[in-house]
Amino acid sequence: MKVSALVPLAALCSPLLVACQEEAAAAYAPTLGACPEGVSLIRNAGSGSRQTLSADEYVYISGREEKVLPDAWRFYLDTVTESVRDLVDMPAYVSEILDGSYGYSGYPRFGIATSGGGYRAAIFGAGVLNALDGRNTSSLKAGTGGLLQSATYLAGLSGGNLLVTSLAQANFPTFSDLIFGSSDENVNSWGGWNAEIDLLDVSTNATVDEDYLIQLVEEIVGKYEMGFPVTICDVWARTLSRHFVNGTNLEDFSNPDLTHGAGVTFSSIATVDSFVNYEQPFPIIVIDSLSPNGNASNILNQSGLAVPLTNPIYEVNAYEMGSFDPMLSAFTPTKYLGSPGNGECATGFDQLSFIQGLSSNEFNLYNTSASALQASPIGPILEVFEAIIPESGIDLTVGLVPNPFYGQSPETYIDSNETLLQLVDGGEDGEVVPFLPLLVKAREVEVIFAIDAAADTEENWADGSSIISTQDRVAFFPNSYSFPPVPPLQATFLAEGLTKRPTFFGCSSTVASGDPLVIYLANGGPPLGQPAMTNTSTDQFTYYADELDGMLSQAFDVATQGIADGTKDAEWAACLACAVVDRARRREGIARSGVCESCLDRYCWD
Ligand SMILES: *[C@@H]1O[C@H](CO)[C@@H](O)[C@H](O)[C@H]1NC(C)=O
Ligand SMILES: *[C@@H]1O[C@H](CO)[C@@H](O)[C@H](O)[C@H]1NC(C)=O
Ligand SMILES: *[C@@H]1O[C@H](CO)[C@@H](O)[C@H](O)[C@H]1NC(C)=O
Ligand SMILES: *[C@@H]1O[C@H](CO)[C@@H](O)[C@H](O)[C@H]1NC(C)=O
Ligand SMILES: *[C@@H]1O[C@H](CO)[C@@H](O)[C@H](O)[C@H]1NC(C)=O
Ligand SMILES: *[C@@H]1O[C@H](CO)[C@@H](O)[C@H](O)[C@H]1NC(C)=O
Ligand SMILES: *[C@@H]1O[C@H](CO)[C@@H](O)[C@H](O)[C@H]1NC(C)=O
Ligand SMILES: *[C@@H]1O[C@H](CO)[C@@H](O)[C@H](O)[C@H]1NC(C)=O
């Protein structure tokens, strides 16, 4: 890697520029230094029964299991019991499992995956998570509140990654505070999604818009000057930072004296209070690789997909970046991502906004012919780029990361010889719901609540494509992952209405299969009797409060209504609890009974 002497940033502020983002540029730039004693840049994660989690993750999960989950499950149990009290008796085993009668290992190991699909998916996912949030009185009344607090893991990609990471770094606020911000005077605190300001097109005045893009590009100059590759993904990162990272609210959105989240790293999530106290589900995000060495015949034949199912898929958590896929099965510390190696370590490469950008980077899908580019959202950025970082050969498609796994597993890892990883949106292989991190055997997740807000149909509804893709990918790696059978065709999802009501997969899987039970909740249509609001276009980058409220409220209804015989299911909260404990029930050798039997008949697909 070229490490040029750091040019004083002021020298880069040409008279052309409106405001020089010196401080932000310095904060966004990684620094290089000798690796601290004892730091290893590669962890082999093993395979089969020898597969391991990082020691830090293991400590987090154990801490959460001991200090947080017993109370969380009991709270959830009380919530469900109270909400269905006059309606049904829950089987005794549900209470026994959730009140800890079987010890720490007797609780369900529960994870949540929230899909991509741009802002729409972030909003729909937030509405569903709000319905599972034990802090919201409406959710308690519905009998679904408390499940979020009981989850061990929370995975996101693309739009879902914006939701999961903004939530984690903002110290796990309520969803209303997450989206609309809270009144905190500290400029480095959480200011809300600022969704009424477009992600790229910030005003109706072309000069103002261009100035904004210039600011974004200026902020990546420090990274470039440190010799790190910068691409369109870094520019994207800097605008995401003003919406999904601490440090910007509506009032100070255009203040050029603020760093707007530059300097906040992904690894710093581990320093946030609610994380330190194990009070958050462990957040994980997914990124795809657009390797030049992929097997193109494994690209699914659907529009918008560019990544073969057989390419390695990466995850990032507060501690590690890497892949449990068998062809690599290795990790590097998130904190030292971007390190050149040979004893030299980078810090600050893992900017939160950059990682958010990687997981949601779809620029490779644009038409990159010169004339098409000019007409696309990239057009103005391109001009700004050329003016500020001349002759740098800026890549307008992928995000680039110095390959931490260079030289690893040369027989199986297709990017072993690549010095840079070419990274794109985590859904570009077709798996828009981030199941993968939750299928990692060492994580022992048994029940997955999957939120699917992909725009598969012409009207921007989900049709099961994403979960089918996961089934297809798992088939390539049968020794590494297990997934319950789902219908192989979208037509079946639509014909059987599986996207229009909650559906459970894996109810009759055997123990030997290792399949988790999947609680699938899709954005497949509006709640019963309401006009459609949650199927906005993936390209919509601006949302006003009214529209947000409408969508959040519909997502809440979708998550809390259940559907039986075409009408709202009064027993839904009980049915959800039955699904959540079903694997734990099986482990204890207890037979399904009572309302749980009829519930599973109703919601299970087989
Ligand atoms: C609780 O959820 C309801 C339903 O979506 C919503 O209207 C309300 O604002 C939420 N309350 C808080 C404090 O977030
Ligand atoms: C973001 O701000 C919140 C307060 O709004 C704070 O609790 C949290 O620690 C901050 N996150 C980071 C990564 O600094
Ligand atoms: C656009 O913004 C620029 C810079 O703030 C300002 O000078 C100009 O008058 C604005 N143009 C219009 C049409 O409002
Ligand atoms: C690419 O994938 C196809 C389909 O899975 C397989 O038949 C073929 O052998 C693969 N090619 C290489 C070079 O691995
Ligand atoms: C992709 O799908 C289209 C439309 O169904 C079909 O015409 C085409 O043959 C398919 N291509 C491949 C490689 O399967
Ligand atoms: C890309 O855009 C150019 C110019 O607008 C057009 O001629 C070409 O057909 C487009 N290519 C694709 C693959 O859409
Ligand atoms: C990497 O390069 C070495 C030496 O040129 C070669 O033997 C090996 O097959 C290459 N590996 C991959 C995965 O391309
Ligand atoms: C949303 O769905 C409704 C009903 O299915 C449809 O009429 C409408 O066009 C869709 N909106 C968008 C933006 O696709």
Side-chain angles (χ1 to χ4, degrees):
M1 181 185 311
K2 175 192 98 164
V3 180
S4 57
L6 185 58
V7 176
L9 285 166
L12 294 158
C13 296
S14 81
L16 171 86
L17 308 179
V18 190
C20 187
Q21 300 299 102
E22 257 179 87
E23 279 184 42
Y28 186 72
T31 54
L32 289 166
C35 293
E37 194 95 14
V39 163
S40 167
L41 292 180
I42 292 282
R43 181 180 79 85
N44 186 324
S47 63
S49 60
R50 282 201 286 272
Q51 185 181 54
T52 53
L53 304 179
S54 69
D56 287 329
E57 178 176 339
Y58 184 81
V59 167
Y60 190 93
I61 300 308
S62 313
R64 186 162 169 76
E65 205 165 58
E66 285 167 29
K67 301 198 167 82
V68 175
L69 292 184
D71 288 343
W73 282 122
R74 189 185 302 270
F75 183 85
Y76 169 63
L77 170 64
D78 290 346
T79 303
V80 187
T81 316
E82 179 61 29
S83 90
V84 299
R85 180 188 300 283
D86 300 329
L87 205 63
V88 288
D89 288 325
M90 301 291 289
Y93 70 78
V94 176
S95 316
E96 285 162 15
I97 290 166
L98 296 181
D99 75 8
S101 304
Y102 301 105
Y104 289 137
S105 60
Y107 291 107
R109 176 64 71 91
F110 177 64
I112 302 175
T114 191
S115 82
Y119 243 126
R120 176 195 62 254
I123 298 162
F124 184 82
V128 174
L129 294 185
N130 176 48
L132 306 183
D133 189 344
R135 296 168 295 189
N136 185 307
T137 48
S138 314
S139 313
L140 295 180
K141 205 159 158 250
T144 49
L147 260 187
L148 175 63
Q149 279 74 13
S150 305
T152 298
Y153 291 101
L154 177 59
L157 66 76
S158 198
N161 127 79
L162 301 174
L163 165 61
V164 167
T165 55
S166 61
L167 181 71
Q169 66 91 51
N171 196 24
F172 210 65
T174 62
F175 290 89
S176 131
D177 283 355
L178 178 71
I179 295 169
F180 300 106
S182 55
S183 47
D184 188 327
E185 297 298 307
N186 181 343
V187 292
N188 289 320
S189 66
W190 175 242
W193 282 358
N194 303 317
E196 67 182 69
I197 301 177
D198 193 274
L199 292 180
L200 290 171
D201 202 1
V202 292
S203 80
T204 50
N205 178 327
T207 314
V208 173
D209 285 352
E210 190 176 329
D211 288 351
Y212 181 70
L213 294 177
I214 290 173
Q215 279 191 25
L216 302 182
V217 177
E218 283 177 338
E219 292 178 4
I220 71 172
V221 169
K223 179 175 177 181
Y224 170 73
E225 282 300 318
M226 280 299 285
F228 290 90
V230 292
T231 75
I232 188 81
C233 183
D234 291 275
V235 181
W236 178 235
R238 293 312 306 145
T239 190
L240 293 179
S241 193
R242 289 158 163 82
H243 297 268
F244 303 103
V245 181
N246 276 4
T248 307
N249 60 33
L250 280 177
E251 287 70 45
D252 63 24
F253 191 92
S254 307
N255 184 340
D257 298 327
L258 301 179
T259 51
H260 296 293
V264 177
T265 57
F266 201 102
S267 49
S268 74
I269 288 174
T271 67
V272 169
D273 285 350
S274 52
F275 191 99
V276 170
N277 298 322
Y278 314 121
E279 283 159 4
Q280 308 192 9
F282 190 76
I284 307 175
I285 63 115
V286 171
I287 300 172
D288 279 0
S289 79
L290 195 70
S291 166
N293 314 312
N295 182 342
S297 43
N298 297 327
I299 301 177
L300 289 176
N301 186 10
Q302 286 158 31
S303 76
L305 304 189
V307 173
L309 282 174
T310 41
N311 278 14
I313 288 180
Y314 298 97
E315 66 160 66
V316 184
N317 63 57
Y319 301 125
E320 295 190 314
M321 179 274 184
S323 182
F324 281 103
D325 282 345
M327 63 287 226
L328 177 58
S329 191
F331 285 83
T332 195
T334 303
K335 187 175 177 186
Y336 300 117
L337 196 62
S339 291
N342 292 326
E344 200 175 18
C345 275
T347 46
F349 184 91
D350 69 320
Q351 298 280 323
L352 180 55
S353 61
F354 179 59
I355 310 283
Q356 289 174 335
L358 291 172
S359 180
S360 61
N361 174 43
E362 291 201 322
F363 287 98
N364 62 308
L365 300 177
Y366 284 101
N367 180 338
T368 48
S369 78
S371 56
L373 272 182
Q374 280 311 321
S376 79
I378 297 180
I381 299 178
L382 195 57
E383 287 170 25
V384 175
F385 249 137
E386 281 161 359
I388 300 177
I389 307 181
E391 296 168 73
S392 55
I394 294 293
D395 188 303
L396 294 171
T397 59
V398 298
L400 292 175
V401 172
N403 186 359
F405 311 111
Y406 184 83
Q408 297 289 310
S409 308
E411 285 82 33
T412 55
Y413 174 47
I414 55 174
D415 287 335
S416 190
N417 285 352
E418 300 294 327
T419 53
L420 294 171
L421 295 179
Q422 305 192 17
L423 302 178
V424 295
D425 187 285
E428 283 193 34
D429 63 341
E431 299 181 273
V432 185
V433 179
F435 279 110
L436 213 63
L438 307 182
L439 302 181
V440 169
K441 303 236 161 161
R443 292 198 164 117
E444 300 176 346
V445 176
E446 318 168 289
V447 186
I448 300 174
F449 193 108
I451 305 166
D452 185 358
D456 300 322
T457 71
E458 272 178 19
E459 292 183 339
N460 298 313
W461 302 111
D463 69 3
S465 292
S466 173
I467 194 167
I468 295 170
S469 304
T470 295
Q471 173 165 267
D472 292 348
R473 185 169 198 269
V474 165
F476 281 107
F477 307 107
N479 298 326
S480 303
Y481 303 113
S482 305
F483 198 65
V486 303
L489 298 175
Q490 289 85 348
T492 311
F493 277 83
L494 297 178
E496 297 186 13
L498 305 182
T499 57
K500 293 204 162 162
R501 60 169 179 89
T503 304
F504 304 158
F505 296 104
C507 300
S508 46
S509 292
T510 60
V511 175
S513 72
D515 298 345
L517 187 141
V518 171
I519 298 164
Y520 177 67
L521 191 77
N523 185 31
L528 290 171
Q530 297 184 31
M533 290 195 73
T534 56
N535 59 329
T536 51
S537 157
T538 308
D539 298 331
Q540 183 175 332
F541 285 170
T542 316
Y543 286 86
Y544 288 93
D546 283 357
E547 191 173 11
L548 285 169
D549 281 334
M551 291 173 74
L552 289 166
S553 148
Q554 286 205 337
F556 181 90
D557 289 349
V558 167
T560 53
Q561 68 182 6
I563 293 185
D565 301 327
T567 59
K568 289 184 193 181
D569 182 358
E571 293 179 356
W572 165 240
C575 293
L576 180 57
C578 292
V580 166
V581 303
D582 200 62
R583 286 289 188 264
R585 170 202 62 76
R586 190 178 68 182
R587 253 189 288 118
E588 301 302 334
I590 304 165
R592 272 179 205 146
S593 63
V595 68
C596 285
E597 242 181 324
S598 54
C599 276
L600 271 76
D601 282 349
R602 186 145 82 236
Y603 288 101
C604 290
W605 181 81
D606 52 31

